[in-house]
Amino acid sequence: MAPKEPMRRDRFPSGIAGVSVGEIERQVPASEAPPLPPNDRLMVIGKRVLRINARAKVTGAARFTVDIKLAGMLHGRLLRSPHAHARIISIDSHAAERHPDVRAVHIITDNPVSRLALGCRLQARRAADTGAPFCASYRLSL
Amino acid sequence: MIFKSDNLDALGRKRDRMKQPAQTLTAHRNEDEVSRRSFLAGAGVTAGGVMLETSLAASRALAEQKSNQEIIGPDAAPLTLRINGAIRNIAVPPHTTLAEALRGPLDLTGTKIGCDRGACSACTVWLDGVPVASCMILAIDVGERSVTTIEGLADGDKLHPVQASFIEHDAVQCGFCTPGLVMSCAALLARNPQPSLEDVKMATSGHLCRCGTYPHVFAATLAAAKANKG
């Protein structure tokens, strides 16, 4: 048998706020914190609090991950096939690799049903047509 | 306009009607006169057929204005934009959207790109006071129109009533869709100072909020309108 803990009797609010709140008396361990004072004497509990970063969010000042720019940061673009269950016949990423802004082209080849690769081929062709540096690539930020 | 093919229709025929004065076109336009470019610009409008009309007319006038200019691109070309009351000079390739120009060289990252295809309205800015999806407009097509972004909505430290109301009513969760929603709701109050709940729902109908804060957005906008009246 554990040694008997000292107890005390105390009165606690009971019920649902706004419906009916009463009080009950019960026995609690002597170490139990005293009951909280009523809400109107509390600073935070039961009070409306403004979201700490709401102002930043409504003014556009909030910085999301996508808003961060670092010196020398590269942008990666993941390309997927526009066709579900497409079979990859071949991949030509030369146009992407030749572009002066493109630092690297990675093609996922270890996945036998890689849909990413077909997308890469299509995008590379498009890049060659327009000169737009947005193929399967990592490129310097603007 | 900028590209060679701009005066040609989809089949490569010369589109002579584009050379008529803009006023005539606005008054007597046929559906088949809508060019792809002006359609894209018009499709960026978040809500309201009246505004679509205005935007179409404006971009058509602009297209006509530029139709005899030199070909620009594919490399970066200088561009002047009127952003939040300031004249900003940048150099971007002609395929750069307004949203990309704002977030990139102009460093105004308050405008968010969610879908980059005009489906989520996170990128909403004003063009001459009309809310548009900036991901659906090329920066070179903005022309003389003045751009207002979320950074330019407040009057210095004094928040726009809609911004203040969004804070007060906690119409913000993760905050990614917030700049776009604020721009659309502020534009709504500008054209309709006393909107109904239905009006607010219509004005924000293109905005996707994955946190699901819509009810608070509606409440905040209606409260801002009420305070304005008050």
Side-chain angles (χ1 to χ4, degrees):
Chain A
M1 289 284 277
K4 197 166 182 201
E5 198 178 346
M7 302 294 276
R8 66 178 163 94
R9 291 192 74 79
D10 211 337
R11 296 187 66 80
F12 294 89
S14 160
I16 299 168
V19 181
S20 68
V21 180
E23 261 197 349
I24 55 165
E25 189 180 306
R26 57 174 20 157
Q27 188 154 313
V28 293
S31 59
E32 178 101 353
L36 286 169
N39 274 352
D40 61 2
R41 279 189 271 139
L42 294 173
M43 293 294 288
V44 177
I45 296 173
K47 301 292 176 295
R48 298 193 69 227
V49 288
L50 292 183
R51 192 176 293 270
I52 197 166
N53 54 11
R55 189 186 172 95
K57 285 175 176 173
V58 300
T59 56
R63 296 239 293 165
F64 292 73
T65 309
V66 73
D67 300 330
I68 295 171
K69 278 185 211 164
L70 301 172
M73 188 169 81
L74 300 177
H75 290 268
R77 195 80 168 206
L78 193 62
L79 294 173
R80 297 182 175 86
S81 169
H83 308 295
H85 290 277
R87 193 177 300 277
I88 312 304
I89 308 299
S90 67
I91 300 161
D92 178 4
S93 60
H94 280 100
E97 279 155 12
R98 272 203 308 273
H99 195 282
D101 288 348
V102 172
R103 295 304 160 96
V105 177
H106 296 292
I107 298 170
I108 299 176
T109 52
D110 55 356
N111 178 353
V113 289
S114 170
R115 296 173 195 164
L116 186 139
L118 181 63
C120 172
R121 184 166 63 85
L122 296 174
Q123 289 294 325
R125 194 190 304 143
R126 197 168 154 204
D129 287 343
T130 62
F134 62 97
C135 31
S137 62
Y138 294 84
R139 68 180 174 106
L140 280 171
S141 55
L142 285 170
Chain B
M1 174 101 285
I2 305 305
F3 298 116
K4 249 184 199 165
S5 60
D6 213 70
N7 254 347
L8 304 178
D9 66 12
L11 298 171
R13 295 174 302 211
K14 190 97 173 145
R15 196 193 286 128
D16 289 321
R17 276 174 301 192
M18 289 301 286
K19 294 197 171 165
Q20 291 169 18
Q23 293 85 350
T24 321
L25 280 169
T26 317
H28 311 286
R29 76 185 178 86
N30 295 320
E31 281 313 306
D32 61 1
E33 284 175 342
V34 178
S35 72
R36 178 179 170 276
R37 188 169 305 278
S38 62
F39 173 75
L40 279 179
V45 174
T46 307
V50 178
M51 285 179 298
L52 185 76
E53 192 93 1
T54 317
S55 176
L56 282 175
S59 59
R60 191 174 296 112
L62 204 71
E64 184 208 328
Q65 213 177 66
K66 288 187 176 176
S67 60
N68 293 323
Q69 283 185 4
E70 58 183 316
I71 295 166
I72 296 176
D75 295 327
L79 180 66
T80 301
L81 291 171
R82 228 184 294 171
I83 314 268
N84 299 333
I87 300 290
R88 302 286 299 267
N89 294 303
I90 54 170
V92 291
H95 67 260
T96 308
T97 65
L98 175 58
E100 289 165 345
L102 290 171
R103 295 182 46 81
L106 292 163
D107 206 24
L108 294 169
T109 54
T111 299
K112 304 300 179 202
I113 297 177
C115 65
D116 209 17
R117 59 197 66 181
C120 76
S121 299
C123 64
T124 301
V125 301
W126 295 352
L127 280 194
D128 283 346
V130 177
V132 300
S134 61
C135 74
M136 297 302 288
I137 291 180
L138 296 179
I140 54 168
D141 279 349
V142 172
E144 296 289 304
R145 288 175 284 183
S146 67
V147 182
T148 308
T149 71
I150 189 72
E151 290 91 345
L153 193 61
D155 180 12
D157 279 346
K158 191 174 177 295
L159 293 180
H160 186 282
V162 169
Q163 289 174 313
S165 196
F166 264 56
I167 297 175
E168 174 64 23
H169 289 81
D170 200 29
V172 172
Q173 286 189 56
C174 84
F176 198 82
C177 71
T178 306
L181 273 167
V182 168
M183 293 310 282
S184 279
C185 292
L188 169 68
L189 296 197
R191 66 178 184 269
N192 179 3
Q194 295 304 318
S196 66
L197 175 59
E198 282 308 308
D199 294 333
V200 180
K201 286 183 176 176
M202 181 61 81
T204 56
S205 61
H207 291 264
L208 300 186
C209 168
R210 290 197 161 187
C211 304
T213 319
Y214 303 108
H216 288 207
V217 169
F218 303 154
T221 307
L222 291 173
K226 206 171 169 187
N228 213 21
K229 189 186 184 183

